Amino acid sequence: MINFRLKIIISVYFCLIVLAFYNSIHSYRNNINSAKAEVFSKLSAIANIAGSEIDGDQHQAIVKQHAKKDAIQNPADDKNYHQIQLQLLALQKATAISTDIYTLFPTKDFKKFYFGVSSGNTPYFRHLYHTPPPELVDNYFKGGIIDEYTDENGIWLSAFTPVKNSKNEVVAVVQIDKNFSEFKADILFGLIKKIALIVVFYALIGVFLYLFLKDIIGKEERYIRSQKEYADTLASEVGLRTNELSLANLKLKKLNKELESFFYSTSHDIRAPLCRILGLSSLAKMETDKQQFVEMIEQESQKMDEMLKKMIAVNNIRTKDILIKEIGVSESISFALSGLRSKYKFIKEDISISIKNKQQHSFSCDNELFEAIIVNLLDNAFKFSDQSNPIIKINSFIDDSGIFSFSIKNNGKPFSEVERNNAFELFKRANKEGDMDTLRLGLYSIKTCLDRLGGLIDIFTHNGFTEIRVMIPDHKTNELLSEEITEAKTLFI
């Protein structure tokens, strides 16, 4: 009976193991296809972002200026190359891509490609790509994905998108790769984790099943032993006890059938929750893989929300009625500083701020427009000051003619000449590092407020600092406004 019990337990375990491996292999095959779809979705999204960020005119200028292989050996050798390389590197870090992001441009016969700008610190400029996949050649002008292909550097999954110049001409493609061996390792790791989960699950099921079967079979053994003892005791009374033994045999057969039905039912009842567990683990894995995109979308949504709020504020500024009243200049600056310190306390908590405020005269202006100017100036200074050692210097005063002058300096990356000329034009392209859409909206908002108040603004760069100066006339002296602004502007500069 002991051997019989072992055979039953081993048979049940064997069925469970076969079922588990069948579901694991089936799930593994499905996971490969779904994982490929996720990888291509991620690579395509990153490629589209990179393609929209790269300036095609800059890329075209790099290719035209440097006609020889390895003409650029350090990203800093060429300003345009360095700028595109930093864009690609920032995107690579933000999306946790393990391989370099790079651009390709075709040979004259369009059969092969040269490597252009790479996110890596060591350029691979104008090296020939000897074995480009057919999809790259066929879809050069519209972009696409490249499923599992082999080239001189390995086996890859890739996505690419065209880079266009200002004439809407495709001058290159930007390509992002996923090493296929790394991709398979990720899938295999997921399978191993799933198998480990199944093993733990089956181990628990096996323990409970063993205890349950042991109790049933123990009862059966005890029953059979009692029947054997009873038969031995009443051997002389075989004739008299034949009916009792027949009844006992019928009961035993019935018990065996019930036990067989139990095993069959148990194996099928276990399969249903097992399949649900496997399905849920697959869904959980998929959700984890998508978490970084959820976070990137949330970040972009927050940026868009901030931009929309600023645009609504600009519209309100342009349409609101001017309400003149006396303003507490020092109080307004202190209130704005307090709010911005709280906003940036986790990013630039050690920022150094020095304030010089000289107010010997009262000042009258529209309070809403005045506060919008101060808040936007301070917000830009906080946002674009140096990351490691941020410094802000503020100087404000009201002169004898009633003109309020406000100067704010920060030690971030200075404006270029082109950026200074286009600083207050909302949709001009800019190259300054940081959130340029927000910067343009901030400066545009300031300029809109000043236009309504008859004020002036200018930007200066010197000694590693960017300085923005504004002047606003006291609106109680409108009759002298034109002369005072002209005279103050001369002194201001």
Side-chain angles (χ1 to χ4, degrees):
M1 290 305 299
I2 294 176
N3 290 334
F4 176 68
R5 182 171 63 187
L6 288 175
K7 287 180 180 178
I8 292 175
I9 294 174
I10 291 171
S11 297
V12 172
Y13 266 96
F14 179 77
C15 292
L16 291 174
I17 291 171
V18 170
L19 180 62
F21 275 97
Y22 169 78
N23 283 316
S24 297
I25 293 171
H26 181 70
S27 176
Y28 174 71
R29 291 175 178 173
N30 290 336
N31 282 348
I32 289 179
N33 294 330
S34 62
K36 271 189 178 182
E38 290 179 26
V39 168
F40 284 132
S41 177
K42 178 179 178 179
L43 295 180
S44 296
I46 299 171
N48 288 333
I49 293 172
S52 64
E53 288 183 351
I54 294 175
D55 189 328
D57 293 328
Q58 284 184 324
H59 195 283
Q60 200 171 18
I62 296 169
V63 173
K64 185 177 180 181
Q65 185 176 355
H66 304 283
K68 293 183 179 180
K69 178 181 177 181
D70 290 328
I72 300 175
Q73 298 185 357
N74 187 294
D77 290 346
D78 183 277
K79 179 180 178 181
N80 289 331
Y81 184 98
H82 194 206
Q83 182 178 337
I84 296 176
Q85 185 258 344
L86 289 176
Q87 289 176 323
L88 296 179
L89 181 59
L91 186 60
Q92 181 185 355
K93 290 180 179 179
T95 55
I97 292 295
S98 58
T99 56
D100 288 344
I101 303 174
Y102 54 91
T103 64
L104 297 166
F105 58 94
T107 58
K108 291 182 179 180
D109 58 6
F110 266 82
K111 293 183 179 179
K112 296 181 180 179
F113 290 83
Y114 292 109
F115 287 92
V117 182
S118 168
S119 62
N121 292 323
T122 302
Y124 199 61
F125 185 71
R126 275 197 178 271
H127 281 242
L128 190 62
Y129 187 7
H130 294 281
T131 57
E135 292 88 346
L136 180 60
V137 177
D138 296 340
N139 299 318
Y140 171 77
F141 291 98
K142 62 181 181 179
I145 61 173
I146 310 174
D147 199 356
E148 191 181 344
Y149 70 97
T150 304
D151 62 13
E152 62 262 33
N153 299 310
I155 305 175
W156 308 93
L157 302 173
S158 300
F160 62 97
T161 194
V163 175
K164 298 181 179 180
N165 61 15
S166 57
K167 297 179 181 179
N168 206 33
E169 299 170 339
V170 178
V171 297
V173 294
V174 58
Q175 184 161 317
I176 296 105
D177 303 321
K178 175 75 172 180
N179 186 282
F180 191 71
S181 298
E182 180 183 333
F183 168 77
K184 288 179 66 177
D186 291 341
I187 299 298
L188 184 60
F189 179 70
L191 178 64
I192 292 173
K193 288 200 301 184
K194 190 175 295 182
I195 292 176
L197 178 65
I198 293 171
V199 169
V200 173
F201 175 74
Y202 279 141
L204 294 174
I205 294 295
V207 170
F208 289 112
L209 185 62
Y210 172 77
L211 295 174
F212 184 70
L213 291 175
K214 181 181 178 181
D215 182 61
I216 292 177
I217 295 175
K219 289 179 181 179
E220 183 184 2
E221 289 177 347
R222 289 191 295 271
Y223 178 76
I224 292 173
R225 274 198 307 269
S226 68
Q227 291 300 311
K228 188 177 183 298
E229 291 174 359
Y230 183 74
D232 291 341
T233 303
L234 299 177
S236 61
E237 301 180 13
V238 173
L240 296 176
R241 303 298 183 188
T242 300
N243 292 335
E244 293 179 7
L245 291 174
S246 298
L247 181 60
N249 287 329
L250 289 174
K251 290 181 178 180
L252 182 60
K253 289 180 180 179
K254 182 180 179 181
L255 182 60
N256 285 332
K257 286 183 179 179
E258 290 175 355
L259 188 60
E260 182 181 354
S261 298
F262 168 76
F263 291 147
Y264 181 84
S265 175
T266 301
S267 64
H268 282 73
D269 289 343
I270 290 172
R271 187 177 186 276
L274 173 64
C275 290
R276 288 197 294 271
I277 289 173
L278 292 172
L280 288 171
S281 65
S282 296
L283 287 173
K285 180 178 182 300
M286 292 172 65
E287 287 294 326
T288 300
D289 287 345
K290 291 185 177 179
Q291 184 60 33
Q292 59 181 327
F293 296 106
V294 173
E295 293 174 357
M296 292 171 66
I297 290 170
E298 182 181 1
Q299 291 174 3
E300 293 302 318
S301 298
Q302 290 173 350
K303 289 181 182 179
M304 186 175 292
D305 182 58
E306 184 178 353
M307 290 175 62
L308 288 172
K309 287 178 180 178
K310 283 183 176 288
M311 295 180 106
I312 292 171
V314 170
N315 182 65
N316 292 338
I317 288 168
R318 299 177 66 178
T319 57
K320 74 178 295 294
D321 294 330
I322 301 294
L323 301 175
I324 303 302
K325 66 177 184 178
E326 189 170 320
I327 292 175
V329 173
S330 299
E331 291 79 0
S332 295
I333 296 173
S334 298
F335 182 77
L337 274 173
S338 175
L340 289 167
R341 280 183 184 275
S342 176
K343 176 180 177 182
Y344 290 95
K345 65 180 178 180
F346 296 113
I347 303 173
K348 296 181 178 179
E349 58 180 344
D350 296 325
I351 194 165
S352 173
I353 301 177
S354 62
I355 304 175
K356 293 181 181 180
N357 187 19
K358 183 179 179 182
Q359 184 177 356
Q360 297 178 343
H361 306 277
S362 62
F363 182 70
S364 297
C365 187
D366 182 281
N367 187 63
E368 185 178 346
L369 298 181
F370 181 85
E371 289 186 351
I373 293 169
I374 299 301
V375 169
N376 277 290
L377 286 170
L378 290 172
D379 188 56
N380 284 340
F382 270 78
K383 185 176 299 181
F384 295 99
S385 58
D386 184 72
Q387 293 292 329
S388 59
N389 182 30
I391 299 173
I392 295 177
K393 298 180 180 180
I394 300 171
N395 187 13
S396 70
F397 65 93
I398 302 173
D399 64 17
D400 294 335
S401 60
I403 293 180
F404 169 72
S405 298
F406 185 85
S407 167
I408 182 165
K409 300 179 182 178
N410 71 279
N411 62 339
K413 183 179 178 181
F415 281 82
S416 67
E417 187 66 24
V418 174
E419 290 166 345
R420 285 175 55 195
N421 293 335
N422 299 330
F424 308 109
E425 298 183 39
L426 187 58
F427 297 108
K428 282 287 186 178
R429 186 176 183 85
N431 298 320
K432 190 175 176 66
E433 292 180 351
D435 191 351
M436 282 307 303
D437 291 330
T438 308
L439 175 63
R440 283 196 294 266
L441 278 170
L443 292 175
Y444 183 76
S445 299
I446 296 168
K447 185 65 166 60
T448 304
C449 292
L450 290 170
D451 287 344
R452 295 216 65 194
L453 296 174
L456 301 170
I457 184 169
D458 209 344
I459 300 175
F460 304 87
T461 56
H462 50 80
N463 298 327
F465 281 84
T466 296
E467 179 180 3
I468 301 179
R469 303 178 191 172
V470 299
M471 292 187 302
I472 306 173
D474 190 323
H475 279 68
K476 281 189 176 180
T477 56
N478 285 334
E479 65 276 5
L480 300 175
L481 186 61
S482 179
E483 295 180 26
E484 291 173 352
I485 291 178
T486 303
E487 182 180 355
K489 183 176 181 181
T490 305
L491 297 173
F492 197 51
I493 297 174

